[in-house]
Amino acid sequence: MSEFVDMFSGSDPESVATSVRLLLLLTVLSLAPGILILMTSFTRILIVLSFVRTSLATQQMPPNQVLIGIALFLTFFIMAPTFQEVNEEALTPLFNEDITLDEAYDEASVPMKEFMAKHTRQKDLELFIGYSEMEEPETVEDIPLTTLVPAFAISELKTAFQMGFMIFVPFLVIDMAVASVLMSMGMMMLPPVMISLPFKILLFVLVDGWYLISKSLLEGF
């Protein structure tokens, strides 16, 4: 621990720069889960994929690890331009010692704010701005992250649930049709889900469901 503290007490500028980079790396790693979940497209993608599995009634197929992996890589694909801008505007100048650490934080927050503001409903943003009793911001850069992040999060939740509802509808129709047929045949002890499951999987495969879901998610951003 003392060696770690000594890195910041040295007078060598190169040692101080290395220490700042290490501190920045540790900070980013500690905040990475929160940034990934609440400031990117990850939440919407994962919820929609979970709705797909629930509507198919396939229990744990695909497994959670597969859904999270797909959501993670789709998030990296969607957020690539934003992350690239953060790297060019904040990280690279910081590592080249062209800007300070505080300036790097400000520069890195701008692309993230622009992405979140683009996908945040005005109603949700006004809720948190009004509750904090702050003046109405003139630009996206003037919106603090403490206000924009929760507004973006609840906007993403609503959008994800809207998409989930649209996914549920056709599979619900199949369940109702199968249940009606079974009741008309007097087979009330046979679970409708057991009979409807193959038909739902067949429908999902025939319409190329994973392609349509991925396309809808990508076009949504």
Side-chain angles (χ1 to χ4, degrees), residues 9 27 38 75 110 119 127 181 186 212 217:
S9 61
T27 302
L38 295 180
T75 299
V110 173
H119 302 286
L127 169 65
V181 172
L212 294 177
L217 288 170

Short mmCIF file of all heavy atoms in Angstrom, two decimals, residues 9 27 38 75 110 119 127 181 186 212 217:
data_model
loop_
_atom_site.label_atom_id
_atom_site.label_comp_id
_atom_site.label_asym_id
_atom_site.label_seq_id
_atom_site.Cartn_x
_atom_site.Cartn_y
_atom_site.Cartn_z
N SER A 9 3.73 10.60 -4.68
CA SER A 9 4.56 11.57 -3.98
C SER A 9 5.87 11.84 -4.69
O SER A 9 6.60 12.73 -4.33
CB SER A 9 4.84 11.07 -2.55
OG SER A 9 5.53 9.83 -2.60
N THR A 27 -10.69 3.44 -11.70
CA THR A 27 -11.99 4.12 -11.58
C THR A 27 -12.97 3.62 -12.63
O THR A 27 -14.12 3.31 -12.34
CB THR A 27 -11.81 5.64 -11.71
OG1 THR A 27 -10.90 6.09 -10.71
CG2 THR A 27 -13.14 6.35 -11.54
N LEU A 38 -26.65 1.16 -17.35
CA LEU A 38 -27.53 2.32 -17.30
C LEU A 38 -27.22 3.41 -18.32
O LEU A 38 -28.02 4.33 -18.48
CB LEU A 38 -27.49 2.94 -15.89
CG LEU A 38 -28.04 2.07 -14.77
CD1 LEU A 38 -27.93 2.79 -13.44
CD2 LEU A 38 -29.48 1.68 -15.03
N THR A 75 -24.46 -4.59 -27.82
CA THR A 75 -24.20 -3.29 -27.19
C THR A 75 -22.90 -2.69 -27.69
O THR A 75 -22.83 -1.50 -28.03
CB THR A 75 -24.16 -3.43 -25.66
OG1 THR A 75 -25.42 -3.91 -25.20
CG2 THR A 75 -23.86 -2.10 -25.01
N VAL A 110 -19.59 14.03 -22.91
CA VAL A 110 -20.38 14.65 -23.98
C VAL A 110 -20.95 13.62 -24.95
O VAL A 110 -22.16 13.62 -25.23
CB VAL A 110 -19.55 15.71 -24.72
CG1 VAL A 110 -20.30 16.22 -25.95
CG2 VAL A 110 -19.22 16.87 -23.79
N HIS A 119 -32.18 9.10 -27.02
CA HIS A 119 -33.11 8.00 -26.77
C HIS A 119 -33.89 8.17 -25.46
O HIS A 119 -34.43 7.20 -24.94
CB HIS A 119 -32.36 6.67 -26.76
CG HIS A 119 -31.62 6.39 -28.03
ND1 HIS A 119 -32.25 6.00 -29.19
CD2 HIS A 119 -30.29 6.46 -28.33
CE1 HIS A 119 -31.36 5.84 -30.15
NE2 HIS A 119 -30.17 6.11 -29.66
N LEU A 127 -39.29 15.14 -15.82
CA LEU A 127 -39.59 14.67 -14.47
C LEU A 127 -38.43 14.92 -13.53
O LEU A 127 -38.60 15.49 -12.44
CB LEU A 127 -39.93 13.18 -14.51
CG LEU A 127 -40.02 12.47 -13.15
CD1 LEU A 127 -41.18 13.02 -12.33
CD2 LEU A 127 -40.16 10.97 -13.34
N VAL A 181 -58.91 -25.36 -28.57
CA VAL A 181 -59.04 -26.67 -29.22
C VAL A 181 -59.06 -27.79 -28.19
O VAL A 181 -59.88 -28.72 -28.26
CB VAL A 181 -57.91 -26.88 -30.24
CG1 VAL A 181 -57.93 -28.31 -30.77
CG2 VAL A 181 -58.04 -25.88 -31.38
N GLY A 186 -62.36 -31.76 -24.90
CA GLY A 186 -62.52 -32.32 -23.57
C GLY A 186 -61.22 -32.72 -22.91
O GLY A 186 -61.23 -33.43 -21.90
N LEU A 212 -35.21 -10.95 -37.06
CA LEU A 212 -36.16 -9.84 -36.93
C LEU A 212 -35.96 -9.10 -35.62
O LEU A 212 -36.02 -7.86 -35.58
CB LEU A 212 -37.59 -10.36 -37.02
CG LEU A 212 -38.02 -10.95 -38.38
CD1 LEU A 212 -39.44 -11.49 -38.30
CD2 LEU A 212 -37.92 -9.89 -39.47
N LEU A 217 -33.91 -4.23 -32.90
CA LEU A 217 -33.07 -3.60 -31.88
C LEU A 217 -32.06 -2.65 -32.51
O LEU A 217 -31.85 -1.53 -32.02
CB LEU A 217 -32.35 -4.69 -31.08
CG LEU A 217 -33.21 -5.50 -30.11
CD1 LEU A 217 -32.44 -6.69 -29.57
CD2 LEU A 217 -33.72 -4.63 -28.98
#
